[in-house]
Amino acid sequence: MTSREGCISGSTRWQGGGPEQACPISPVLDIVFSRWTTPILWALNEYGTQRFVQLQRAIGTITPKVLTQRLRQMERDGLVVRTYYPEVPPRVEYAISDLGRSLAPLFATLAEWSSGHLPLVEEARQRFDAGESTGPSPVTGPSPVRGRLR
């Protein structure tokens, strides 16, 4: 099995696309699982409509610049709704859209998987770090795969 055939959905390939399209869920992964998208969606889903500062506090370590960039991109992707109120001072609120909310089953499945499997991942990491790898010997030397994995 090649790395491209190892896509989670496995059976469907996009015709005529480049390597980034070899796996049909790659665009979804790029949209939903970027560094800050998931925490933003979680906070909006958990706490409801939020003003910028409330959202920043709910997430914690995100900078205002990055939060602004991610919110704009998420609004562009249809995952977040931005509402501007022309008051003095102006007020802006962010809410998760129906499209963003449609990701809830995916996040629920991932949360279920993580509760049952993250301990196994941690055990595997500890075995690996201790030199007790159970798989075939790793290839030594430079990695045969160049570039960033998507």
Side-chain angles (χ1 to χ4, degrees), residues 16-144:
E20 68 280 354
Q21 294 178 335
C23 179
I25 66 167
S26 290
V28 175
L29 295 175
D30 290 342
I31 293 167
V32 177
F33 295 107
S34 70
R35 170 69 175 99
W36 293 108
T37 301
T38 305
I40 293 169
L41 286 174
W42 181 86
L44 290 173
N45 190 56
E46 185 74 14
Y47 303 117
T49 301
Q50 299 279 295
R51 293 177 77 171
F52 185 89
V53 173
Q54 292 172 312
L55 190 54
Q56 185 181 12
R57 287 180 186 146
I59 295 168
T61 58
I62 192 168
T63 65
K65 177 183 174 184
V66 172
L67 181 57
T68 298
Q69 291 170 343
R70 292 309 312 150
L71 285 168
R72 284 185 183 149
Q73 184 61 49
M74 292 169 67
E75 183 181 9
R76 181 175 181 255
D77 292 339
L79 301 175
V80 168
V81 175
R82 178 183 185 268
T83 305
Y84 173 79
Y85 297 94
E87 304 169 345
V88 177
R91 179 170 49 112
V92 177
E93 293 181 340
Y94 298 91
I96 191 168
S97 69
D98 289 341
L99 181 60
R101 200 174 318 284
S102 73
L103 293 165
L106 172 64
F107 288 128
T109 301
L110 288 171
E112 182 179 326
W113 183 91
S114 67
S115 68
H117 293 86
L118 282 183
L120 300 173
V121 171
E122 186 56 36
E123 289 173 18
R125 287 176 177 171
Q126 289 175 1
R127 281 194 309 274
F128 183 88
D129 292 346
E132 303 170 14
S133 176
T134 58
S137 298
V139 176
T140 57
S143 172

